[in-house]
Amino acid sequence: MSKGAAVEMETANASQVKPQSRSWLPRAVAAVAWVIYVSYLLLSDFPPGPSLLHTEPETLQAALDLSLNFWFILPLLFPASAPELNPLLESLFNLVVAWGLLFWGFLLDGRGQRWPMLPFLIGTAFLTNVFYLPWLALRSPQTNPPDSPLTRLEQFAESRTLPLSILAVIMAAAVWAVWGRPDFGDWATRWQGLVDLLSSDRLTYSFAVDLLMFWLFQGWLVADDMARRQWQSPSALWMARLIPCFGLVIYLLQRPAIPSPVTDIAQDQQS
């Protein structure tokens, strides 16, 4: 082997090892964030309300009532049968769920991983950062485009239907927060009711913490997603990182489609 070839090989190996050696840092940050999140929000007595270890029946009933009113379907279709809750609390709950569902748009990140991503996405829809942060801690950088055709679920995750549906839910939550359930009074009364819940109820407080954590970590999958598409757009990257929720919606709507291997083969044959 010539000296020049040896130097080129060493350079190539170094370029491959360096990104992998840096990948431990974001994974460590996500792992530490998860430990702090669980210890503080679920197990400690610092936030308002009883901890998970001392959950009261009222908290479980509130969680059940919010689930029954999921996406406002029951209150709109059968209002007499729907549990009555503060409309701002219902909107906050639906916003948290909708934000968690946005991460389904990165389903391709699960390809080639040691752990399947689907259980973490399902868990995120129900228990938010209890499952989302562990995925960030366990995953490895995945920047390769898919080497086999997309499954139907992956095709849905790649479609504009997902972010548009989530956007519709977010807008419905905003409308419901202001005008839903007129019996709860004007905006000032509704807001004061939510503030009272935030200062006394662990479940409501957890929704606010979840929104903050989603904002801090919503952009952690974007850079790899852009690399899979061979797309470079600093403005789109930072928009997805900095603008809470809506930045991620806009990113999923404007990102270029990722071609499937079948499409690539057909194009090569035509050329």
Side-chain angles (χ1 to χ4, degrees), residues 7-74:
V7 172
E8 291 179 359
M9 181 174 294
E10 290 178 0
T11 304
N13 292 335
S15 64
Q16 293 176 357
V17 172
K18 191 174 181 180
Q20 293 178 356
S21 64
R22 291 199 303 263
S23 68
W24 69 268
L25 182 57
R27 296 169 66 180
V29 171
V32 171
W34 181 81
V35 171
I36 295 175
Y37 172 86
V38 172
S39 301
Y40 169 74
L41 185 61
L42 302 182
L43 303 180
S44 77
D45 294 326
F46 293 108
S51 70
L52 181 65
L53 301 176
H54 303 91
T55 302
E56 297 178 346
E58 293 80 3
T59 302
L60 296 177
Q61 185 61 49
L64 176 61
D65 291 344
L66 288 169
S67 300
L68 291 175
N69 291 348
F70 178 62
W71 284 9
F72 315 109
I73 296 175
L74 189 62

Coordinates of all heavy atoms in Angstrom, one line a residue, residues 7-74:
V7 N -2.6 7.3 4.0 CA -3.0 8.6 4.5 C -4.5 8.8 4.3 O -5.2 9.3 5.2 CB -2.2 9.8 4.0 CG1 -2.8 11.1 4.4 CG2 -0.7 9.7 4.5
E8 N -4.9 8.5 3.0 CA -6.3 8.7 2.7 C -7.2 7.8 3.5 O -8.3 8.1 4.0 CB -6.5 8.4 1.2 CG -5.9 9.5 0.3 CD -6.2 9.1 -1.1 OE1 -6.8 8.1 -1.4 OE2 -5.7 9.9 -2.0
M9 N -6.8 6.5 3.8 CA -7.5 5.6 4.6 C -7.6 6.1 6.0 O -8.7 6.0 6.6 CB -6.9 4.2 4.5 CG -7.7 3.1 5.3 SD -7.0 1.5 5.1 CE -7.4 1.2 3.4
E10 N -6.5 6.6 6.6 CA -6.5 7.1 7.9 C -7.5 8.3 8.1 O -8.2 8.4 9.0 CB -5.1 7.5 8.4 CG -4.2 6.2 8.6 CD -2.8 6.7 8.9 OE1 -2.6 7.9 9.1 OE2 -1.9 5.8 9.1
T11 N -7.5 9.1 7.0 CA -8.3 10.3 7.1 C -9.8 9.9 7.0 O -10.7 10.4 7.7 CB -8.0 11.2 5.9 OG1 -6.6 11.6 5.9 CG2 -8.9 12.5 5.9
A12 N -10.1 8.9 6.2 CA -11.5 8.4 6.1 C -11.9 7.8 7.4 O -13.1 8.0 7.8 CB -11.6 7.4 4.9
N13 N -11.1 7.0 8.0 CA -11.4 6.4 9.2 C -11.6 7.4 10.3 O -12.5 7.3 11.2 CB -10.3 5.4 9.7 CG -10.3 4.2 8.8 OD1 -11.2 3.8 8.1 ND2 -9.1 3.5 8.7
A14 N -10.8 8.4 10.3 CA -10.9 9.5 11.3 C -12.2 10.2 11.1 O -12.9 10.6 12.1 CB -9.8 10.5 11.2
S15 N -12.6 10.5 9.9 CA -13.9 11.2 9.6 C -15.1 10.4 10.1 O -16.1 10.9 10.4 CB -14.0 11.5 8.1 OG -14.1 10.3 7.4
Q16 N -15.0 9.0 10.1 CA -16.1 8.2 10.5 C -16.1 8.1 12.0 O -17.2 8.0 12.6 CB -16.0 6.8 9.9 CG -16.1 6.8 8.4 CD -15.9 5.4 7.8 OE1 -15.6 4.5 8.5 NE2 -16.1 5.3 6.5
V17 N -15.0 8.0 12.7 CA -14.9 7.9 14.1 C -15.3 9.1 14.9 O -16.0 9.1 15.9 CB -13.5 7.4 14.5 CG1 -13.4 7.4 16.1 CG2 -13.2 6.0 14.0
K18 N -14.9 10.3 14.3 CA -15.1 11.5 15.0 C -16.6 11.8 15.3 O -17.0 12.1 16.4 CB -14.5 12.7 14.2 CG -14.4 14.0 15.0 CD -13.6 15.0 14.3 CE -13.6 16.3 15.1 NZ -12.8 17.3 14.3
P19 N -17.5 11.7 14.3 CA -18.9 11.9 14.6 C -19.4 10.9 15.6 O -20.3 11.2 16.4 CB -19.6 11.8 13.2 CG -18.5 12.0 12.2 CD -17.3 11.5 12.8
Q20 N -19.0 9.6 15.5 CA -19.5 8.6 16.4 C -19.0 9.0 17.9 O -19.7 8.7 18.8 CB -19.0 7.3 16.0 CG -19.6 6.8 14.7 CD -19.1 5.4 14.3 OE1 -18.3 4.9 14.9 NE2 -19.7 4.9 13.2
S21 N -17.7 9.5 18.0 CA -17.2 9.8 19.3 C -18.0 11.0 19.9 O -18.0 11.1 21.1 CB -15.7 10.1 19.2 OG -15.5 11.3 18.4
R22 N -18.5 11.9 19.1 CA -19.3 13.0 19.6 C -20.7 12.6 19.9 O -21.4 13.4 20.5 CB -19.3 14.1 18.6 CG -17.9 14.8 18.4 CD -18.1 16.2 17.8 NE -18.8 16.1 16.6 CZ -18.2 16.1 15.4 NH1 -16.9 16.2 15.3 NH2 -18.9 16.1 14.3
S23 N -21.2 11.5 19.4 CA -22.6 11.2 19.5 C -23.0 10.8 21.0 O -24.2 10.9 21.3 CB -23.0 10.0 18.6 OG -22.3 8.8 19.1
W24 N -22.0 10.6 21.8 CA -22.4 10.2 23.2 C -22.9 11.4 24.0 O -23.7 11.3 24.9 CB -21.1 9.7 23.9 CG -20.1 10.7 24.1 CD1 -19.0 11.0 23.3 CD2 -19.9 11.6 25.3 NE1 -18.2 12.0 23.8 CE2 -18.8 12.4 25.0 CE3 -20.7 11.8 26.4 CZ2 -18.4 13.3 25.9 CZ3 -20.3 12.7 27.3 CH2 -19.1 13.5 27.1
L25 N -22.5 12.7 23.6 CA -22.8 13.9 24.3 C -24.3 14.1 24.3 O -24.9 14.3 25.4 CB -22.0 15.1 23.8 CG -22.3 16.4 24.6 CD1 -22.0 16.2 26.1 CD2 -21.4 17.5 24.0
P26 N -25.0 14.2 23.1 CA -26.4 14.5 23.2 C -27.2 13.3 23.8 O -28.2 13.5 24.5 CB -26.8 14.6 21.7 CG -25.7 14.0 20.9 CD -24.5 14.3 21.8
R27 N -26.7 12.1 23.7 CA -27.3 11.0 24.3 C -27.2 11.1 25.9 O -28.2 10.8 26.6 CB -26.7 9.7 23.8 CG -26.9 9.4 22.4 CD -26.1 8.3 21.8 NE -26.5 7.0 22.4 CZ -25.9 5.8 22.1 NH1 -24.9 5.8 21.2 NH2 -26.4 4.7 22.6
A28 N -26.1 11.5 26.3 CA -25.9 11.7 27.8 C -26.8 12.8 28.3 O -27.4 12.7 29.4 CB -24.4 12.0 28.1
V29 N -26.9 13.9 27.5 CA -27.7 15.0 27.9 C -29.2 14.6 28.0 O -29.9 14.9 29.0 CB -27.6 16.2 26.9 CG1 -28.6 17.3 27.2 CG2 -26.2 16.8 27.0
A30 N -29.7 13.8 27.0 CA -31.0 13.3 27.1 C -31.2 12.4 28.2 O -32.3 12.4 28.9 CB -31.4 12.6 25.8
A31 N -30.3 11.5 28.5 CA -30.4 10.6 29.7 C -30.5 11.3 31.0 O -31.3 11.0 31.9 CB -29.2 9.6 29.7
V32 N -29.6 12.3 31.2 CA -29.6 13.1 32.4 C -30.9 13.9 32.5 O -31.5 14.0 33.6 CB -28.4 14.1 32.4 CG1 -28.6 15.1 33.6 CG2 -27.1 13.3 32.5
A33 N -31.4 14.4 31.4 CA -32.7 15.1 31.4 C -33.8 14.2 31.8 O -34.7 14.6 32.5 CB -33.0 15.7 30.0
W34 N -33.8 13.0 31.3 CA -34.9 12.0 31.7 C -34.8 11.7 33.2 O -35.9 11.6 33.8 CB -34.7 10.7 30.9 CG -35.8 9.7 31.2 CD1 -37.0 9.6 30.7 CD2 -35.7 8.6 32.1 NE1 -37.7 8.6 31.2 CE2 -36.9 7.9 32.1 CE3 -34.6 8.1 32.9 CZ2 -37.1 6.8 32.9 CZ3 -34.9 7.0 33.7 CH2 -36.1 6.3 33.7
V35 N -33.6 11.5 33.7 CA -33.5 11.2 35.2 C -34.0 12.4 36.0 O -34.8 12.2 37.0 CB -32.0 10.9 35.5 CG1 -31.9 10.8 37.1 CG2 -31.6 9.6 34.9
I36 N -33.7 13.6 35.6 CA -34.2 14.8 36.3 C -35.7 14.9 36.2 O -36.4 15.2 37.1 CB -33.5 16.1 35.8 CG1 -32.0 16.0 36.1 CG2 -34.1 17.3 36.4 CD1 -31.2 17.1 35.5
Y37 N -36.2 14.7 35.0 CA -37.6 14.8 34.7 C -38.4 13.8 35.6 O -39.4 14.2 36.2 CB -37.8 14.5 33.2 CG -39.3 14.4 32.8 CD1 -40.0 15.5 32.5 CD2 -39.9 13.1 32.7 CE1 -41.4 15.3 32.1 CE2 -41.2 13.0 32.3 CZ -41.9 14.1 32.0 OH -43.2 14.0 31.6
V38 N -38.0 12.5 35.6 CA -38.7 11.5 36.4 C -38.6 11.8 37.8 O -39.5 11.7 38.6 CB -38.2 10.1 36.0 CG1 -38.8 9.1 36.9 CG2 -38.6 9.8 34.5
S39 N -37.4 12.1 38.3 CA -37.1 12.3 39.7 C -37.9 13.5 40.2 O -38.5 13.5 41.3 CB -35.6 12.5 40.0 OG -34.9 11.4 39.5
Y40 N -37.9 14.6 39.5 CA -38.5 15.8 39.9 C -40.0 15.8 39.8 O -40.8 16.0 40.7 CB -37.9 17.0 39.2 CG -38.7 18.3 39.4 CD1 -38.6 19.0 40.6 CD2 -39.5 18.8 38.4 CE1 -39.3 20.2 40.8 CE2 -40.3 20.0 38.6 CZ -40.2 20.7 39.8 OH -40.9 21.8 40.0
L41 N -40.4 15.5 38.5 CA -41.9 15.6 38.2 C -42.7 14.5 38.8 O -43.8 14.7 39.2 CB -42.1 15.7 36.7 CG -43.5 16.0 36.2 CD1 -44.0 17.3 36.7 CD2 -43.5 16.0 34.7
L42 N -42.2 13.3 38.7 CA -43.0 12.1 39.1 C -42.8 11.6 40.5 O -43.8 11.1 41.2 CB -42.8 11.0 38.1 CG -43.0 11.3 36.6 CD1 -42.8 10.0 35.8 CD2 -44.4 11.8 36.4
L43 N -41.6 11.7 41.0 CA -41.3 11.1 42.3 C -41.1 12.0 43.5 O -41.2 11.6 44.6 CB -40.0 10.2 42.1 CG -40.1 9.1 41.0 CD1 -38.8 8.3 41.0 CD2 -41.3 8.2 41.3
S44 N -40.7 13.3 43.2 CA -40.4 14.2 44.3 C -41.7 14.9 44.8 O -42.7 14.8 44.2 CB -39.4 15.2 43.9 OG -40.0 16.2 43.1
D45 N -41.5 15.6 45.9 CA -42.6 16.3 46.5 C -42.4 17.8 46.3 O -43.1 18.6 46.9 CB -42.6 16.1 48.0 CG -43.0 14.7 48.4 OD1 -43.8 14.1 47.6 OD2 -42.5 14.1 49.4
F46 N -41.5 18.2 45.4 CA -41.3 19.6 45.1 C -42.4 20.2 44.3 O -42.9 21.3 44.6 CB -39.9 19.8 44.4 CG -38.8 19.5 45.3 CD1 -38.0 18.4 45.1 CD2 -38.4 20.3 46.4 CE1 -37.0 18.1 45.9 CE2 -37.4 20.1 47.2 CZ -36.6 18.9 47.0
P47 N -42.9 19.6 43.2 CA -44.0 20.2 42.4 C -45.3 20.2 43.2 O -45.4 19.4 44.2 CB -44.1 19.3 41.2 CG -42.8 18.6 41.1 CD -42.4 18.4 42.5
P48 N -46.3 20.9 42.8 CA -47.6 20.9 43.6 C -48.3 19.6 43.4 O -48.1 18.9 42.4 CB -48.3 22.1 42.9 CG -47.7 22.2 41.5 CD -46.2 21.9 41.7
G49 N -49.0 19.2 44.4 CA -49.8 18.0 44.4 C -49.0 16.8 44.8 O -47.8 16.9 44.9
P50 N -49.7 15.7 45.0 CA -49.0 14.5 45.4 C -48.2 13.9 44.3 O -48.5 14.0 43.1 CB -50.1 13.5 45.9 CG -51.3 14.0 45.1 CD -51.1 15.5 45.0
S51 N -47.1 13.2 44.6 CA -46.2 12.5 43.6 C -46.9 11.3 43.1 O -48.0 10.9 43.6 CB -44.9 12.2 44.3 OG -45.0 11.1 45.2
L52 N -46.2 10.7 42.1 CA -46.8 9.4 41.5 C -46.9 8.3 42.6 O -47.8 7.5 42.5 CB -45.8 9.0 40.4 CG -46.2 7.7 39.6 CD1 -47.5 7.9 38.9 CD2 -45.1 7.3 38.7
L53 N -46.0 8.4 43.6 CA -46.1 7.3 44.6 C -47.3 7.5 45.5 O -47.6 6.6 46.3 CB -44.8 7.4 45.5 CG -43.5 7.2 44.7 CD1 -42.3 7.4 45.6 CD2 -43.4 5.8 44.0
H54 N -47.9 8.7 45.5 CA -49.1 8.9 46.4 C -50.2 9.5 45.5 O -50.9 10.4 46.0 CB -48.7 9.9 47.5 CG -47.5 9.4 48.3 ND1 -46.2 9.8 48.0 CD2 -47.5 8.6 49.4 CE1 -45.4 9.2 48.9 NE2 -46.2 8.5 49.8
T55 N -50.4 8.9 44.4 CA -51.5 9.4 43.5 C -52.8 9.2 44.1 O -53.2 8.1 44.6 CB -51.4 8.6 42.1 OG1 -50.1 8.8 41.5 CG2 -52.5 9.2 41.2
E56 N -53.6 10.3 44.0 CA -55.0 10.2 44.6 C -56.0 9.8 43.6 O -55.8 10.0 42.4 CB -55.3 11.6 45.2 CG -54.4 12.0 46.3 CD -54.7 13.4 46.9 OE1 -55.5 14.1 46.2 OE2 -54.2 13.8 47.9
P57 N -57.1 9.3 44.0 CA -58.2 8.9 43.0 C -58.7 10.1 42.2 O -59.0 9.9 41.0 CB -59.3 8.4 44.0 CG -58.6 7.9 45.2 CD -57.5 8.9 45.4
E58 N -58.6 11.3 42.7 CA -59.1 12.4 42.0 C -58.2 12.7 40.8 O -58.7 13.1 39.7 CB -59.1 13.7 42.8 CG -60.2 13.7 43.9 CD -59.8 12.8 45.1 OE1 -58.6 12.3 45.1 OE2 -60.6 12.7 46.1
T59 N -56.9 12.4 40.9 CA -55.9 12.6 39.8 C -56.2 11.6 38.7 O -56.2 11.9 37.5 CB -54.5 12.5 40.3 OG1 -54.3 13.5 41.4 CG2 -53.5 12.7 39.2
L60 N -56.4 10.4 39.1 CA -56.7 9.3 38.2 C -58.0 9.6 37.4 O -58.1 9.4 36.2 CB -56.8 8.0 38.8 CG -55.5 7.5 39.5 CD1 -55.7 6.1 40.2 CD2 -54.4 7.3 38.5
Q61 N -59.0 10.1 38.1 CA -60.3 10.4 37.5 C -60.1 11.6 36.5 O -60.7 11.6 35.4 CB -61.3 10.8 38.6 CG -62.7 11.1 38.0 CD -63.3 9.8 37.4 OE1 -63.2 8.7 37.9 NE2 -63.8 10.0 36.1
A62 N -59.3 12.6 36.9 CA -59.0 13.7 36.0 C -58.3 13.2 34.7 O -58.7 13.7 33.6 CB -58.2 14.8 36.7
A63 N -57.4 12.3 34.8 CA -56.7 11.8 33.7 C -57.7 11.0 32.8 O -57.6 11.1 31.5 CB -55.5 10.9 34.1
L64 N -58.6 10.3 33.4 CA -59.5 9.5 32.6 C -60.5 10.5 31.9 O -60.8 10.3 30.7 CB -60.3 8.6 33.6 CG -61.5 7.8 32.9 CD1 -60.9 6.9 31.8 CD2 -62.2 7.0 34.0
D65 N -60.9 11.5 32.6 CA -61.9 12.5 32.0 C -61.2 13.2 30.8 O -61.9 13.4 29.8 CB -62.3 13.5 33.0 CG -63.2 12.9 34.1 OD1 -63.7 11.8 33.9 OD2 -63.4 13.5 35.2
L66 N -60.0 13.6 30.9 CA -59.3 14.2 29.8 C -59.1 13.2 28.6 O -59.2 13.7 27.5 CB -57.9 14.7 30.3 CG -57.9 15.9 31.2 CD1 -56.5 16.1 31.8 CD2 -58.3 17.1 30.5
S67 N -58.9 12.0 28.9 CA -58.8 11.0 27.9 C -60.1 10.8 27.1 O -60.1 10.6 25.9 CB -58.3 9.7 28.4 OG -57.0 9.8 29.0
L68 N -61.2 10.8 27.9 CA -62.5 10.7 27.3 C -62.8 11.9 26.4 O -63.5 11.7 25.4 CB -63.6 10.6 28.4 CG -63.6 9.2 29.2 CD1 -64.6 9.3 30.3 CD2 -63.9 8.1 28.3
N69 N -62.3 13.0 26.7 CA -62.5 14.3 26.0 C -61.4 14.5 24.9 O -61.3 15.6 24.4 CB -62.6 15.5 26.9 CG -63.9 15.5 27.7 OD1 -64.8 14.7 27.5 ND2 -64.0 16.3 28.7
F70 N -60.7 13.4 24.6 CA -59.5 13.5 23.7 C -60.0 14.1 22.4 O -60.9 13.6 21.7 CB -58.9 12.1 23.5 CG -57.8 12.1 22.5 CD1 -56.6 12.8 22.8 CD2 -57.9 11.3 21.4 CE1 -55.6 12.7 21.9 CE2 -56.8 11.2 20.5 CZ -55.7 11.9 20.8
W71 N -59.2 15.2 21.9 CA -59.5 15.9 20.7 C -60.9 16.4 20.6 O -61.4 16.6 19.5 CB -59.1 15.0 19.5 CG -57.6 14.9 19.3 CD1 -56.7 15.4 20.1 CD2 -56.9 14.3 18.2 NE1 -55.4 15.1 19.7 CE2 -55.5 14.5 18.5 CE3 -57.3 13.7 17.0 CZ2 -54.6 14.0 17.6 CZ3 -56.4 13.2 16.2 CH2 -55.0 13.4 16.4
F72 N -61.6 16.6 21.7 CA -62.9 17.3 21.8 C -64.0 16.5 21.1 O -65.0 17.1 20.8 CB -62.8 18.7 21.3 CG -61.5 19.4 21.7 CD1 -60.5 19.7 20.8 CD2 -61.4 19.9 23.0 CE1 -59.4 20.4 21.3 CE2 -60.3 20.5 23.5 CZ -59.2 20.8 22.6
I73 N -63.8 15.3 20.8 CA -64.8 14.5 20.0 C -66.0 14.3 20.9 O -67.2 14.6 20.4 CB -64.2 13.2 19.6 CG1 -63.1 13.4 18.6 CG2 -65.3 12.3 18.9 CD1 -62.4 12.1 18.2
L74 N -65.9 13.8 22.1 CA -67.0 13.6 22.9 C -67.7 14.9 23.3 O -69.0 14.9 23.3 CB -66.6 12.8 24.2 CG -67.7 12.3 25.1 CD1 -68.6 11.3 24.3 CD2 -67.1 11.6 26.3

